[in-house]
Amino acid sequence: MAEDTVQDDGKKSFLDSFAEFSAKVGNQVHLRSLRDAFATVMPIYILAGIAVLINNVVFPLFLAGDALAAAQYWGNAITQGTLNVATVVLAGIAGYCLAKNKRFENAIACVVIGIAALCIMMPQTVNSAAASISDFTELTYKSTTDASADAYAVSRDEVESGLAIPEGYELSSVSSSSVSNVFSKTYTGANGLFGAIIIGLVATTVFIKLSQNERLRVNLGEGIPPAVSDSFNTMFPMLITLSIFGLVAALLHGIWSTDLMSLINTCIAAPLKGFVNAGPWFIILVYTLANLLFCLGIHQSTISGVLAEPILTILITENMAMFAAGEAIPADHYMNMQIINTFALIGGSGCTLMLLADTFLFSKNKASKDIAKLALLPGIFNINEPVIYGYPVVYNLPLMIPFVLVPDLFIGLTYALTCAGILAPCVVMVPWTTPVFISGFLAVGGGSAGVVAVIWQVIEFALGMAIYLPFMKVSERVQAKQAAEAEAIEAA
C-alpha cells in the first residue's frame, strides 16, 4: 500500500513537472508574442483565402474572357492588400505584441520599429531572376517560331499602357541583370514571413532595451501633450535601433553582397520548412504533447501554438499565394496549418465531435448525454471546451488515450494520402470554426478534389467513432464504480 502511494506521488510529481515546463515554454515572451501576432493577423489570411477561392474556383464557373478578368480584379485587389503585404504587416504586429507582453508603455512605436527595420533589411538591388516585370525599364521578346527573327524590345511604360506584343513572341530577357534603388515585392508577401518574425522581434527587443535607459529620454517638462512627449522619449532609442539595422544591412551588402532577408530564407526558413515536411513525425510529436497537456487542464496552444503553428501558418499562406498564381503546390508544402485544422481537429482538439456522436448513439449515462447536448452546437464549430472540462476528458484516463491518439492518426494518414496524390493539398485558409465536411471541401479548393476531401472526412468520422467507443464504455464503467463507492462511503 505504501509502495502504491509512493508510486502515485512519483507520477503526480512527473505530471506536475511536465506541465510546469510546458507552461514555461508557452509563456516565453517572444514565443507568446509570436503566437499573439499570428492570431491578430489571421483574419487577413482568411480573407485572402476566401478571395483566392472565389477568384480561382467560383468565378470561372460562369465567367470567361474579359468578364472573368474584370471579376477577378476584386480578388486580385484583396490579395494585393493581404498576402502581398503579409510580411510588412506581421513585422509591425509582432513588435506591437512583444511590447504589450513586456508591458512597454509606448507599444505603438514598436509597430513603426518593426516595419522600418524590416524595410531597412530588404535588398536594394533586384536580380532579374527574382524580380517582377515592374522592376525593369525594358523587356526583350523573341520569336517562338523563327529563331532568325529580330528580337522585339519594349519599355516598361509601353507594357503598362497596354501595348500588345506581336503573336508568336515570348519574354526572353530584361535590359539588365539587376536594378538598383528599387523596393521589390519578393519579400513583402509570404516569402518574407520568417524575416518579419525575426526582424520584428529583434528590433523591438533592442528598442525596448534602449528605451529603458533614462539618459536617452528627452524631458520636455509639464503641459506637453502625451503624444508629443512619448515621441520625444522614444526618439533617440528609435534612431539608434534603426541605425544599427542600417549598419548591418550595409555590412552584409558591402562585404558579402547579400541581405538579411535572403540569409534568413536560405539558412532558417528553408531548413525549417524542410524539417516540418520531412514527414509527419515532428508535427505528430508536437500535437501529442499539446493534447496530453490539454488532458491535464493546460490549453494545447501552449505547446502547438508556439512550436508548430507559426511555421504551419506560413506554409498555408505560401500555398494560397501559389494557388492564386496558378502554380502547383510542392511536396514540401503538403504539411500546413489547414491540414491540421481540417482533418486532425474535427470538432476541436482530440476530435471530440466523434465522442459526442458515440454518446448520443451508444451511451446509457444520463449525465454524459446531458453534457453532450450542451456541447454539440459548439462542437460543430470546433469549440470543445465544454467536452474537455464538462464530460470531462481532463484527468479521465480512458478518454485521454483516444483524445491524444486520434488526431495523431489522422495527421499521419492525411499526410500519406496527400503524398500519394489521393488527397489534394490544402490551398485555402478556411476559418477554424468552419464545420466538418464544409471545411474539407473548401480547404482543397472545391471541385472534384473537394468531394474527395469530404469523403475522407466521412471516413475519418466513422473511424474516430470506432476508436472512441470502447474507451467511452470503459470511462462510463469507471464513473459508475466511483459513484457506487461514494454512495457506500456515505451510507457507512
Side-chain angles (χ1 to χ4, degrees):
M1 190 73 177
E3 291 179 1
D4 291 342
T5 303
V6 172
Q7 187 177 8
D8 289 343
D9 290 342
K11 287 182 178 179
K12 181 179 179 181
S13 176
F14 168 75
L15 292 176
D16 288 344
S17 299
F18 173 66
E20 183 179 350
F21 171 76
S22 301
K24 285 182 178 179
V25 172
N27 287 325
Q28 202 281 330
V29 66
H30 292 87
L31 295 177
R32 188 169 76 249
S33 301
L34 177 57
R35 181 187 64 200
D36 294 345
F38 271 105
T40 302
V41 301
M42 192 66 66
I44 71 170
Y45 295 158
I46 292 174
L47 174 60
I50 294 172
V52 168
L53 184 68
I54 294 174
N55 251 27
N56 293 274
V57 177
V58 178
F59 286 156
L61 293 177
F62 55 89
L63 295 173
D66 292 341
L68 175 60
Q72 288 178 330
Y73 189 90
W74 169 83
N76 294 335
I78 296 294
T79 300
Q80 181 165 288
T82 52
L83 289 181
N84 290 351
V85 294
T87 292
V88 179
V89 173
L90 183 61
I93 296 300
Y96 179 83
C97 291
L98 179 59
K100 296 295 286 185
N101 286 327
K102 282 181 170 286
R103 293 181 171 83
F104 182 63
E105 58 187 11
N106 193 353
I108 197 67
C110 295
V111 177
V112 178
I113 284 291
I115 294 175
L118 175 74
C119 295
I120 288 171
M121 305 314 295
M122 290 279 189
Q124 297 180 27
T125 301
V126 182
N127 293 324
S128 60
S132 63
I133 289 178
S134 61
D135 291 323
F136 302 99
T137 56
E138 187 176 81
L139 307 173
T140 303
Y141 293 82
K142 67 178 182 179
S143 173
T144 57
T145 57
D146 185 1
S148 62
D150 292 335
Y152 185 82
V154 295
S155 68
R156 184 189 66 188
D157 292 338
E158 289 176 321
V159 173
E160 291 179 345
S161 66
L163 177 68
I165 306 302
E167 291 186 9
Y169 279 79
E170 65 179 5
L171 180 65
S172 61
S173 64
V174 294
S175 58
S176 63
S177 60
S178 64
V179 177
S180 299
N181 300 320
V182 298
F183 192 81
S184 173
K185 294 189 295 184
T186 303
Y187 291 120
T188 61
N191 287 336
L193 289 175
F194 276 96
I197 292 168
I198 295 172
I199 294 172
L201 293 179
V202 172
T204 302
T205 301
V206 173
F207 173 67
I208 291 175
K209 189 69 175 177
L210 291 172
S211 297
Q212 293 170 346
N213 189 330
E214 293 293 334
R215 288 176 294 183
L216 295 177
R217 290 175 174 265
V218 178
N219 189 356
L220 298 178
E222 301 293 333
I224 303 299
V228 177
S229 177
D230 289 344
S231 67
F232 272 85
N233 279 334
T234 59
M235 181 173 65
F236 286 112
M238 189 176 290
L239 291 175
I240 295 171
T241 300
L242 297 181
S243 296
I244 291 172
F245 276 81
L247 178 60
V248 172
L251 291 174
L252 288 174
H253 176 71
I255 299 175
W256 293 285
S257 299
T258 187
D259 59 89
L260 187 59
M261 295 296 289
S262 299
L263 288 177
I264 290 174
N265 259 26
T266 303
C267 302
I268 299 177
L272 277 176
K273 293 175 188 175
F275 178 69
V276 168
N277 273 282
W281 312 116
F282 171 72
I283 300 302
I284 287 175
L285 174 62
V286 169
Y287 277 91
T288 297
L289 297 175
N291 287 327
L292 180 59
L293 273 182
F294 221 161
C295 294
L296 302 178
I298 300 174
H299 201 282
Q300 57 93 9
S301 63
T302 301
I303 289 293
S304 61
V306 298
L307 295 182
E309 291 182 8
I311 301 174
L312 295 173
T313 300
I314 290 172
L315 289 168
I316 185 59
T317 304
E318 292 178 350
N319 281 11
M320 287 193 292
M322 287 185 280
F323 182 62
E327 301 173 7
I329 307 300
D332 62 0
H333 281 60
Y334 286 172
M335 182 65 74
N336 53 66
M337 195 65 245
Q338 199 58 50
I339 203 175
I340 304 297
N341 286 340
T342 302
F343 299 104
L345 299 179
I346 297 174
S349 298
C351 297
T352 52
L353 196 58
M354 290 84 159
L355 172 62
L356 295 181
D358 279 335
T359 302
F360 284 119
L361 294 175
F362 306 109
S363 176
K364 298 179 181 179
N365 187 304
K366 183 178 183 301
S368 295
K369 285 197 170 187
D370 289 341
I371 290 293
K373 291 176 184 177
L374 294 174
L376 179 60
L377 184 59
I380 291 174
F381 296 97
N382 303 316
I383 300 169
N384 65 342
E385 278 75 9
V387 182
I388 293 170
Y389 297 108
Y391 200 95
V393 174
V394 173
Y395 290 105
N396 186 337
L397 184 59
L399 292 181
M400 286 169 62
I401 297 172
F403 185 88
V404 173
L405 293 183
V406 168
D408 291 348
L409 177 64
F410 290 165
I411 291 172
L413 290 177
T414 305
Y415 181 78
L417 290 173
T418 305
C419 291
I422 298 173
L423 280 178
C426 291
V427 293
V428 176
M429 182 177 285
V430 180
W432 63 270
T433 52
T434 305
V436 64
F437 310 134
I438 299 175
S439 63
F441 182 81
L442 296 177
V444 297
S448 59
V451 174
V452 174
V454 171
I455 293 172
W456 171 235
Q457 284 186 315
V458 172
I459 296 172
E460 282 187 305
F461 205 94
L463 182 59
M465 288 181 63
I467 294 173
Y468 259 110
L469 182 58
F471 293 100
M472 183 195 74
K473 293 292 187 181
V474 172
S475 174
E476 290 183 348
R477 290 191 191 117
V478 170
Q479 289 176 355
K481 184 177 180 180
Q482 290 173 340
E485 290 176 352
E487 289 177 1
I489 292 173
E490 289 180 2

